Amino acid sequence: MRLKTRLVLSFLLVAWIPLGTVVGVLTQQTDAAFERSFEVRKDAAIKAVQSRLDRVSQNVKESLDKMLVAERDVLEHDLIAPLQRKVFYPPYDADEENYEAAIVKMAERLITSTAVDTLRLVDLKERVGHVIALGHRIGLESQLDTAIVTLAAKHPDETVFKFERGREVAGAVPFEWTLLRLRVIDGRVALVGGKILDTALLEYLLGGSDQDTHVALQDARGNRVAATFVDAEPHGDFVRGTHPLRNPGESDPVFTLTVYVSRAEVEERLRDLWAMAGILASASGLLALLAGLWISRRLSRPLEALAAAASEVAAGDRDTQVPELRGDDEVAVLTRTFNQMTLELSESEERLKQSERVAAWREIARRIAHEIKNPLFPIQMSIETLVKVWERKHPDFEEIFHESTATILEEVARMKRIVTEFSDFARMPAPRPVDTELLDLATQVVGLHRDTAPEVDLRVVGEAEVVVQVDPDQLRQALINLVKNGLEALRGGGGEVPEGASLEVRVTPGSDDTALIVITDNGPGMDEATQQKLFVPYFTTKAEGTGLGLAIVHRIIAEHGGTIRVDSQEGVGTRFAIRLPRRAPHALSAPSDAG
């Protein structure tokens, strides 16, 4: 990843991470605030429901008190007194009234207030639990109401919830949950009034709250008794809390009051918060992007220029310079330092090249002087011998003359060869690559040496159509040197070729669009130290060698963009492996095309 990209991303992260953290914290705080608000609203709703429930219970009690006051005489005359005389129930005496029928008629007119939905009179003493009369519907209860008896005995002034038959609806009398209060008359009769728990009552208990709050009542079996909504759950995103309602003296709840509080407001606030966060993120991201681009341009452009210039310097262009920046910051100092460094490097390299040239010419001069000095001594001795023999008029002068001149000519030829090799090494022309079929070239080179070494098994192995772009004359010279060195190694120091001597030139296509030439002999081989110095100029293991032959081979291969490697083992043989690119390097192909 480039520096410019990393800088821009860093600025975006610096802008967005704090914003994301703040939004996350605000979201958590909003949720926590809602949870606190929910608890407060739930408790308030439960408290309000309980308060109104107590008010409903009190209203029922007050209605019962008004009934007792309004019908005191009737109740005393037609209910309490007959019960005391034990003439209330049949069989009736002939002179007694039908008090039970009178009380039934009276009960039907007692419900005069909306605070009471059900009304009954229950015998507490003579026929314990018997329902004497009903005020909310026609007819009597066939079963004894022992629960009212227990309530009258233990909790006469408390509210009780009871599942009982309520009002008649379409000819049927369904069971309904009812809130009950009672008043005991003379210890003999309980006047029981009830308020049916339905949706209308729940809405009243809720106090007319808005759509943000709902309540529902469920009995101990989980059946819904009433709710301020129709479906299984109120529509929307609600959270809920529960509160148990118990009868006096019981540990298990009769009802579970469930309060639903809407999350709509907090969700709307969260949406607004995220929308604002999105706007801030976009704005801060844009500002961070612009700032990152400006700063990265300020930083990365000079650094990219420095990197490109460093690559050019590494490639050999020591005169490369970068634009110098104004100011005293690190980048500006770096550009000025780089330019100063390249100037000093160029000057140092030029001085080094000059020193190398002087040292190289000194070495060449020393080598040439050394190589020429060797043949001069035999020439001098031959000439001095001829002079002495001539002065003495030696009878064998003619024979001595031919021997001396032959020695002189041999040493002159040797000097000429030395000069030629030095000249070739110093003035080797640039390669002129053309398409060359390597197998044909190798066959030509081997063919030149078959007559000079008939006792050696010389062979060429390979595939046809291995074509590379090389200078055929230079590559031929390199192959000739390698084959010649191989033949000389096979002859050894005595000039005799051992039986079974062989030299093979193999041409094969290489991997990665290259070609491979391998020259192998089964001569005496070389040790590791000799292999390390083999391509160093002037290094030789032969008495008459100049040490330039393999150096020239290495230079030819290198200038063609190839490589040469030697593997040798003493007593086994030597293997030279040349790897050449199929296409000439650009630096060679351009001049070739021009020519």
Side-chain angles (χ1 to χ4, degrees):
M1 187 182 294
R2 299 179 63 185
L3 176 62
K4 182 186 294 184
T5 305
R6 290 199 297 270
L7 286 172
V8 172
L9 291 178
S10 299
F11 272 88
L12 290 176
L13 289 176
V14 168
W16 282 342
I17 288 177
L19 180 62
T21 303
V22 171
V23 172
V25 171
L26 289 178
T27 301
Q28 291 180 350
Q29 291 180 349
T30 302
D31 283 335
F34 173 78
E35 292 297 330
R36 294 191 296 270
S37 171
F38 165 71
E39 292 297 328
V40 172
R41 293 170 69 180
K42 181 192 75 171
D43 294 342
I46 292 173
K47 186 176 181 181
V49 169
Q50 189 66 54
S51 175
R52 286 178 176 262
L53 199 60
D54 294 340
R55 188 181 305 173
V56 169
S57 177
Q58 182 65 27
N59 291 340
V60 173
K61 177 179 176 295
E62 291 175 357
S63 296
L64 294 179
D65 290 338
K66 290 179 181 179
M67 292 178 192
L68 291 176
V69 172
E71 302 294 337
R72 179 187 299 256
D73 293 340
V74 176
L75 290 171
E76 180 65 29
H77 180 271
D78 294 337
L79 180 60
I80 301 302
L83 285 172
Q84 289 174 347
R85 298 196 310 268
K86 298 187 184 299
V87 294
F88 183 78
Y89 296 108
Y92 304 110
D93 294 336
D95 58 347
E96 292 290 344
E97 300 178 14
N98 188 344
Y99 296 108
E100 189 175 9
I103 290 301
V104 170
K105 289 182 180 180
M106 181 206 66
E108 294 176 358
R109 69 173 183 269
L110 284 178
I111 301 179
T112 59
S113 172
T114 57
V116 178
D117 293 330
T118 65
L119 183 70
R120 71 194 65 199
L121 291 167
V122 181
D123 192 338
L124 301 177
K125 195 167 187 180
E126 187 171 349
R127 292 185 181 181
V128 179
H130 173 67
V131 178
I132 298 172
L134 297 174
H136 55 280
R137 62 180 171 85
I138 299 174
L140 296 175
E141 292 287 353
S142 59
Q143 295 181 347
L144 299 179
D145 198 342
T146 57
I148 295 299
V149 177
T150 303
L151 175 63
K154 296 183 178 181
H155 309 286
D157 295 322
E158 296 190 36
T159 304
V160 175
F161 300 101
K162 190 171 182 293
F163 194 55
E164 60 182 8
R165 289 182 181 273
R167 295 165 296 188
E168 183 176 346
V169 179
V173 184
F175 280 87
E176 297 177 291
W177 279 100
T178 310
L179 179 151
L180 299 179
R181 290 297 301 268
L182 60 85
R183 302 293 288 161
V184 178
I185 307 171
D186 195 34
R188 292 180 176 274
V189 178
L191 179 63
V192 183
K195 186 67 176 176
I196 295 174
L197 299 176
D198 56 11
T199 300
L201 179 61
L202 280 184
E203 290 177 350
Y204 167 75
L205 295 178
L206 195 57
S209 63
D210 55 22
Q211 296 181 352
D212 287 343
T213 306
H214 287 281
V215 293
L217 270 181
Q218 289 180 319
D219 61 20
R221 297 181 178 180
N223 298 319
R224 180 188 291 183
V225 177
T228 58
F229 50 88
V230 177
D231 296 329
E233 298 284 342
H235 291 293
D237 188 6
F238 284 81
V239 292
R240 62 184 181 178
T242 58
H243 177 70
L245 297 177
R246 296 179 176 86
N247 277 336
E250 296 181 5
S251 59
D252 295 331
V254 181
F255 296 119
T256 298
L257 178 67
T258 304
V259 179
Y260 296 85
V261 178
S262 174
R263 282 182 58 91
E265 182 179 356
V266 70
E267 291 295 335
E268 183 177 358
R269 290 182 180 179
L270 287 176
R271 284 194 296 270
D272 293 342
L273 177 62
W274 282 105
M276 181 61 67
I279 295 173
L280 291 176
S282 300
S284 61
L286 180 60
L287 291 176
L289 182 64
L290 294 176
L293 289 174
W294 183 82
I295 294 177
S296 64
R297 182 177 180 182
R298 167 71 179 170
L299 290 177
S300 65
R301 180 172 291 183
L303 294 179
E304 289 174 356
L306 283 170
S311 299
E312 293 179 7
V313 171
D317 187 1
R318 305 294 189 262
D319 296 327
T320 302
Q321 296 279 291
V322 295
E324 293 187 2
L325 300 179
R326 298 179 181 178
D328 295 326
D329 58 18
E330 291 81 356
V331 179
V333 173
L334 182 60
T335 56
R336 291 194 292 270
T337 304
F338 179 85
N339 289 338
Q340 182 64 29
M341 179 197 70
T342 54
L343 288 174
E344 294 176 356
L345 181 62
S346 179
E347 295 174 357
S348 299
E349 188 176 49
E350 187 62 32
R351 289 193 296 269
L352 180 60
K353 287 180 180 179
Q354 186 66 26
S355 300
E356 289 177 349
R357 292 192 194 100
V358 172
W361 281 112
R362 287 176 179 173
E363 178 65 17
I364 291 173
R366 187 184 67 79
R367 289 279 182 171
I368 292 176
H370 174 74
E371 295 296 335
I372 292 178
K373 183 178 180 181
N374 289 335
L376 286 178
F377 180 73
I379 292 174
Q380 179 182 357
M381 293 300 296
S382 298
I383 293 174
E384 289 178 353
T385 301
L386 284 177
V387 171
K388 291 179 180 179
V389 171
W390 171 260
E391 291 176 348
R392 296 176 183 176
K393 305 298 182 180
H394 196 283
D396 298 327
F397 174 77
E398 184 175 354
E399 181 180 354
I400 295 173
F401 176 80
H402 287 296
E403 291 177 358
S404 298
T405 54
T407 299
I408 292 171
L409 290 175
E410 182 179 349
E411 295 302 327
V412 169
R414 179 182 174 188
M415 293 174 63
K416 183 178 180 181
R417 185 178 70 251
I418 291 172
V419 172
T420 300
E421 288 186 1
F422 274 105
S423 177
D424 290 343
F425 182 72
R427 298 183 179 181
M428 184 175 294
R432 301 177 65 83
V434 295
D435 289 342
T436 304
E437 214 287 317
L438 291 183
L439 190 61
D440 289 345
L441 186 64
T443 303
Q444 296 173 15
V445 171
V446 170
L448 295 175
H449 295 83
R450 289 191 187 278
D451 294 338
T452 60
E455 64 277 20
V456 178
D457 181 14
L458 273 172
R459 58 182 180 272
V460 180
V461 180
E463 300 180 15
E465 302 301 327
V466 180
V467 179
V468 295
Q469 291 184 342
V470 295
D471 186 320
D473 293 334
Q474 291 190 8
L475 185 58
R476 182 182 294 107
Q477 180 183 353
L479 294 180
I480 288 174
N481 278 344
L482 291 174
V483 171
K484 179 181 177 183
N485 277 5
L487 293 176
E488 292 176 351
L490 289 171
R491 291 192 179 95
E496 296 292 332
V497 177
E499 186 178 355
S502 65
L503 188 147
E504 177 188 273
V505 180
R506 181 178 294 272
V507 178
T508 57
S511 60
D512 301 330
D513 200 26
T514 60
L516 195 63
I517 305 174
V518 180
I519 302 168
T520 308
D521 66 65
N522 60 353
M526 296 175 284
D527 57 23
E528 185 66 27
T530 302
Q531 295 179 54
Q532 295 294 328
K533 301 177 182 178
L534 203 58
F535 299 111
V536 176
Y538 312 119
F539 174 78
T540 182
T541 58
K542 296 179 289 186
E544 298 182 355
T546 62
L548 293 176
L550 291 179
I552 292 173
V553 171
H554 185 273
R555 181 172 175 180
I556 290 173
I557 300 303
E559 289 187 352
H560 281 81
T563 60
I564 181 170
R565 191 183 65 187
V566 59
D567 295 312
S568 185
Q569 186 175 354
E570 290 183 291
V572 177
T574 302
R575 176 179 179 270
F576 287 92
I578 300 173
R579 186 178 296 275
L580 294 169
R582 292 289 189 99
R583 299 185 61 82
H586 179 72
L588 298 181
S589 59
S592 176
D593 294 343

